[in-house]
Amino acid sequence: GLKTIQATLGDAAGNLSSNFQDSIYLDQNNPTLTTVAILRGTGSQSNGDTYTNSYNVEVLLDGASGASTVLYCQKGNVNNTCEEGDYTNEVAYIGRITVPFLSEGRKKVCVKVLDAAGNANLTTGITQDIENGGLCDEVTIDLTPPPAPSISNASITGVNASCASIQASLNDTDDYLRFESRALGGAWSELDGIDSTFDSAQNLASIYFDLTQDSDNFLQVRVIDKAG
């Protein structure tokens, strides 16, 4: 709380100065921070490891109370620990911060908060990874497009039907998320799992198209990776 300090100076002869007074607010309460979560990139996978296709990583700070300053540490190699002296990035507290990286790969961000008196958040009872007082989360930054699928029947001629089916196979399965298709430059859509299906054992998609015009029908297939 608010504390008041008063002082009077006296010399050897016993003369006294005027009374001096000052006040200070004593705060020994720690701010709180319960969760640090790196947000998934737009269009990335909604489950499992966090992916993004941006170098600027958005980090959500949850359960923060009494905080005025954010200190964070970023590591380009998740195997490297955020030491006490690594929390050198300082920003005013807001509920979300942006952490810039310069390269792709698996990255780590650790965050701690301070109040106006310099008290740091405690980590008692926190279940996520903690490194020297900071709460940590990881993300994979991936800006590299996956290779285009191989289409065995890429050019179908002489079709006397109102529909066609194209077989597309994956050329890279490591970070595959889904197939998408469209006809005549329309909106991209995911496989419906009924007419258009994906065989994970053979890494092969069978994609159904309606043929809407009695001439060339331009059909497209693409692969989306885990980063979107």
Side-chain angles (χ1 to χ4, degrees):
L2 185 65
K3 309 297 180 181
T4 300
I5 301 172
Q6 295 180 330
T8 300
L9 298 178
D11 62 15
N15 300 304
L16 299 178
S17 69
S18 300
N19 185 45
F20 291 91
Q21 179 176 306
D22 202 357
S23 298
I24 186 172
Y25 192 88
L26 177 62
D27 177 9
Q28 295 181 311
N29 296 319
N30 297 88
T32 62
L33 180 64
T34 57
T35 306
V36 168
I38 297 177
L39 300 182
R40 298 179 185 274
T42 301
S44 67
Q45 66 175 7
S46 57
N47 298 301
D49 291 340
T50 302
Y51 279 76
T52 184
N53 57 9
S54 172
Y55 287 128
N56 295 316
V57 173
E58 299 292 322
V59 185
L60 183 66
L61 312 183
D62 193 23
S65 175
S68 61
T69 303
V70 175
L71 301 178
Y72 70 85
C73 161
Q74 59 191 116
K75 292 295 183 180
N77 184 337
V78 296
N79 294 318
N80 294 336
T81 301
C82 281
E83 306 293 349
E84 183 66 35
D86 292 335
Y87 290 86
T88 56
N89 301 290
E90 179 176 335
V91 295
Y93 170 77
I94 53 176
R96 180 183 299 189
I97 62 173
T98 301
V99 179
F101 285 92
L102 299 177
S103 63
E104 299 181 66
R106 195 70 179 163
K107 311 297 181 183
K108 177 169 61 180
V109 177
C110 299
V111 179
K112 62 176 67 176
V113 295
L114 306 177
D115 63 14
N119 300 305
N121 59 281
L122 300 177
T123 56
T124 304
I126 302 298
T127 57
Q128 73 179 100
D129 291 340
I130 299 169
E131 294 183 2
N132 289 292
L135 280 61
C136 305
D137 199 13
E138 298 180 6
V139 62
T140 297
I141 298 176
D142 178 9
L143 279 73
T144 304
S150 298
I151 300 177
S152 58
N153 53 341
S155 180
I156 306 174
T157 60
V159 175
N160 184 19
S162 60
C163 63
S165 181
I166 289 179
Q167 283 69 51
S169 57
L170 286 176
N171 287 315
D172 181 8
T173 61
D174 288 342
D175 59 354
Y176 164 77
L177 180 59
R178 64 181 181 270
F179 271 100
E180 291 185 346
S181 64
R182 68 179 180 179
L184 299 174
W188 290 99
S189 62
E190 299 181 35
L191 307 188
D192 60 15
I194 302 173
D195 295 314
S196 298
T197 58
F198 176 66
D199 184 341
S200 59
Q202 300 186 50
N203 294 316
L204 181 68
S206 296
I207 303 170
Y208 170 93
F209 290 95
D210 287 318
L211 303 180
T212 59
Q213 61 186 28
D214 193 18
S215 60
D216 288 343
N217 287 262
F218 185 55
L219 313 175
Q220 292 175 286
V221 179
R222 69 180 181 183
V223 173
I224 305 298
D225 66 14
K226 293 179 180 178

